[in-house]
Amino acid sequence: MRNRRLVVSAVAIAAAGVGFVPGAAHAADPVSPGAQGVAAPGFDVKKAGQAGLQKFASPAGNAVRRTLPAAGKKASALQSADGNPGLSVVLGAEATSAHGFRLVTTIGSADVSLNVVIDWGDGTSDRAEAFGDEVLTSEHVYAEAGEHQAKITVTDPVNQAEIVNELPLLAAGSDFTPYGPTRLLDTRSAIGGSRAKVPAYKSVRVKVAGNGTIPAGVTAVALNVTVTNARSGGHVIAFASGRERPATSNLNFAPGQTVPNLVIVPVGKDGYVELYNGGWDSIDLIADVTGYFSRTQASGYTPSTPVRVVDTREGIGRGGKRGQVAGQGSFKIQFPRGLYTAVALNVTVTNPRDAGHLTAYPSDQPVPTTSNLNFLGGQTVANSVIVPVAADGSVTIRNGAWQPTDVVIDLVGNYGIDSAGSLMTLNEPGRVLDTRAANSDGPAGARGYYAVPLSPGVPGVAGYVLNTTVTNTRGPGFLSVAPDPNSAADYENGTNVWPERPVSSTLNWTKGATVPNLAQASSGNNGIVDFWNQGWEPTDLIVDIFGYYETN
């Protein structure tokens, strides 16, 4: 796919619909036409996720042989307890996807016909025929994550011999278990470590596995990371303990800012993650857990096109009631009872009358000491949130400020036991878009979008774990993330249509700001995601991928 930019007239933009978050500052008319940028596909999502997938083996010595009951007078002359003494089965397998495997069955045998049955351990089986020494290759996709016991039986009816070998297969994909919200780290109060700021260019270790009731063997964790008390600008990188620190960052901060961002980060084999301070001065760091991923069967993920479920300015999600959330006040969001274990939200505070914080938590739990985002008076701040759901399907949002504020919430996905999407984390995050790079189409144009092909034509990929960052902003605006209705071929052939402009928001910015936020984006039907600059000035955009959800 070639890099290119298609400039669209202001008339076409107006026809597509404005879709602004009400109350956002903007000029009366566009000062520049909307533009459509297409990023070159330089990152193979599936290949990155499959790197280092596990392999499994069961040698011939694990096989168990038995002699079948005699077949009667018509039995072959070869029949005896010692018939076909070299009959053997060696098993080898490798993961091919979140739930998929390729099994290689190596049979050693005399030159006789054999019957082979592969019991996959999930109520399904495959049958095959072999003759003498033979190697059979089979593929299978499980409906669920977790461990599955494959059992291979080879029968020699001529010699009345049977041999069985078994192989436990652990799916590569990880399911989600809600947890907390619980604070794992606070360098201001010695939670999770010493009471001391994280020095410049140093890391603090956060214990995940074995902390509270989080089990050993977790593969990744959802953490809300907050930086505060920063004396100069910098960035924070979250990564698995024992791995090389990546070049990508998770959040950026300026002097005096308190900045949160949700991260979904792999957990090291020792059960820890590291948070690296990439700034010139020491900072305080806070980390709150809302769930973890493991290779045991739990909740899968279903991404969706963002849907606005709350807007206190418009009365959406509160029974038509308009009005700000009172200081120290709260409200509930009701989801279908028994359907979700957690929901993925993008939460935005706007028009706050004073500084404060916002907390999302299951309605059947006490108010936690954690927070999801912090804000100053008059500031518009967004953050991605994964929050466990109460038994009745509800989530509570609490305004921890002393003064009222407006709250806007978009639902971007859900976790549930009936959802099939399992997380595939990447050994190294990948940069899929950087408009500052020489080979890009340049900054994201005002009121336009960038189409980023992440898995075009690749089946089974349902969504992505992305970190979006805007920088070099020339005016206020907000970013929307949504699946693209066009295919890769549409863009190649010039037959693509202008997508409907989203009304959801992922992050908000002001002039001169650098703002990050996690985005759990749906792949839609074509594996292409659009990143909309909903402001009236161009801005640079950086997108990094940390993992994806796979259904097969």
Side-chain angles (χ1 to χ4, degrees):
M1 187 179 297
R2 300 179 298 276
N3 283 352
R4 66 181 180 183
R5 167 167 294 192
L6 176 62
V7 176
V8 184
S9 70
V11 175
I13 294 171
V18 175
F20 266 104
V21 172
H26 59 86
D29 296 299
V31 296
S32 59
Q36 168 193 299
V38 183
F43 187 84
D44 191 327
V45 171
K46 197 74 175 284
K47 183 178 179 180
Q50 291 176 335
L53 289 183
Q54 281 186 286
K55 295 184 178 182
F56 308 85
S58 183
N62 290 349
V64 177
R65 176 184 171 131
R66 74 186 185 100
T67 301
L68 299 175
K73 296 180 180 180
K74 294 183 179 180
S76 166
L78 291 175
Q79 291 173 351
S80 73
D82 298 326
N84 201 355
L87 185 62
S88 64
V89 179
V90 177
L91 303 178
E94 60 181 351
T96 56
S97 65
H99 300 162
F101 294 88
R102 181 178 296 108
L103 172 69
V104 177
T105 302
T106 303
I107 302 171
S109 171
D111 288 339
V112 292
S113 295
L114 306 169
N115 298 321
V116 182
V117 177
I118 302 172
D119 181 349
W120 293 105
D122 61 353
T124 67
S125 61
D126 291 332
R127 297 177 180 273
E129 294 182 354
F131 185 86
D133 295 339
E134 196 158 341
V135 177
L136 304 177
T137 300
S138 311
E139 295 196 1
H140 187 70
V141 176
Y142 290 96
E144 304 288 350
E147 185 174 273
H148 307 273
Q149 190 78 6
K151 178 180 177 182
I152 291 77
T153 302
V154 178
T155 303
D156 174 358
V158 173
N159 292 284
Q160 293 298 288
E162 181 180 271
I163 193 165
V164 177
N165 202 345
E166 298 189 43
L167 182 63
L169 301 173
L170 183 62
S174 297
D175 278 4
F176 181 76
T177 300
Y179 189 92
T182 303
R183 184 145 291 174
L184 299 186
L185 174 74
D186 191 338
T187 60
R188 304 168 303 176
S189 56
I191 295 175
S194 60
R195 184 178 179 180
K197 286 186 173 183
V198 182
Y201 308 116
K202 298 291 183 181
S203 294
V204 61
R205 284 164 52 82
V206 182
K207 183 179 181 180
V208 177
N211 198 333
T213 59
I214 301 175
V218 296
T219 57
V221 63
L223 292 176
N224 194 67
V225 178
T226 303
V227 60
T228 190
N229 299 324
R231 291 182 292 181
S232 62
H235 62 272
V236 173
I237 301 173
F239 61 101
S241 173
R243 292 188 188 177
E244 185 176 347
R245 185 177 71 245
T248 55
S249 63
N250 296 93
L251 63 88
N252 300 71
F253 55 88
Q257 277 191 325
T258 296
V259 181
N261 198 15
L262 182 70
V263 302
I264 295 178
V265 57
V267 177
K269 292 182 179 179
D270 61 0
Y272 284 78
V273 300
E274 295 195 27
L275 302 178
Y276 173 78
N277 172 18
W280 291 92
D281 290 292
S282 59
I283 57 173
D284 277 312
L285 282 173
I286 304 161
D288 301 323
V289 60
T290 58
Y292 59 85
F293 296 84
S294 66
R295 290 196 173 103
T296 56
Q297 185 176 330
S299 295
Y301 183 65
T302 299
S304 63
T305 300
V307 176
R308 182 141 296 173
V309 293
V310 171
D311 190 337
T312 60
R313 303 163 302 179
E314 304 294 329
I316 297 173
R318 303 182 72 197
K321 176 185 175 183
R322 293 188 181 187
Q324 293 188 316
V325 182
Q328 303 295 301
S330 62
F331 64 90
K332 286 185 179 181
I333 309 173
Q334 187 65 50
F335 297 101
R337 181 186 182 98
L339 190 59
Y340 306 152
T341 58
V343 288
L345 308 172
N346 200 76
V347 180
T348 303
V349 164
T350 190
N351 306 319
R353 300 186 190 179
D354 201 354
H357 65 272
L358 209 68
T359 301
Y361 61 97
S363 301
D364 54 3
Q365 291 187 14
V367 180
T369 58
T370 59
S371 63
N372 294 98
L373 59 86
N374 300 71
F375 51 87
L376 299 175
Q379 191 179 28
T380 297
V381 181
N383 196 26
S384 187
V385 173
I386 297 175
V387 56
V389 172
D392 67 354
S394 65
V395 167
T396 294
I397 309 296
R398 182 177 184 272
N399 174 17
W402 292 103
Q403 296 295 325
T405 185
D406 279 310
V407 178
V408 181
I409 300 177
D410 297 319
L411 175 69
V412 300
N414 67 81
Y415 296 89
I417 57 176
D418 293 330
S419 297
S422 289
L423 178 66
M424 296 285 286
T425 57
L426 307 184
N427 289 334
E428 295 182 5
R431 181 146 291 176
V432 296
L433 176 66
D434 188 343
T435 62
R436 303 167 303 176
N439 64 344
S440 80
D441 280 349
R447 308 294 291 146
Y449 73 94
Y450 252 95
V452 180
L454 292 172
S455 58
V458 178
V461 176
Y464 319 98
V465 180
L466 307 170
N467 200 70
T468 57
T469 304
V470 293
T471 191
N472 301 324
T473 56
R474 304 178 194 178
F478 68 96
L479 182 76
S480 298
V481 180
D484 193 310
N486 299 290
S487 67
D490 289 330
Y491 282 106
E492 285 286 353
N493 301 330
T495 57
N496 55 292
V497 298
W498 187 266
E500 182 178 352
R501 184 179 298 279
V503 297
S504 61
S505 64
T506 298
L507 58 84
N508 297 67
W509 67 82
T510 55
K511 182 179 179 180
T514 296
V515 183
N517 198 14
L518 184 88
Q520 297 215 83
S522 169
S523 63
N525 296 322
N526 299 300
I528 301 174
V529 178
D530 294 338
F531 298 84
W532 290 80
N533 172 10
Q534 302 275 37
W536 297 94
E537 298 283 353
T539 185
D540 277 315
L541 173 64
I542 305 161
V543 181
D544 298 316
I545 184 167
F546 291 83
Y548 60 92
Y549 293 96
E550 193 171 27
T551 57
N552 64 3

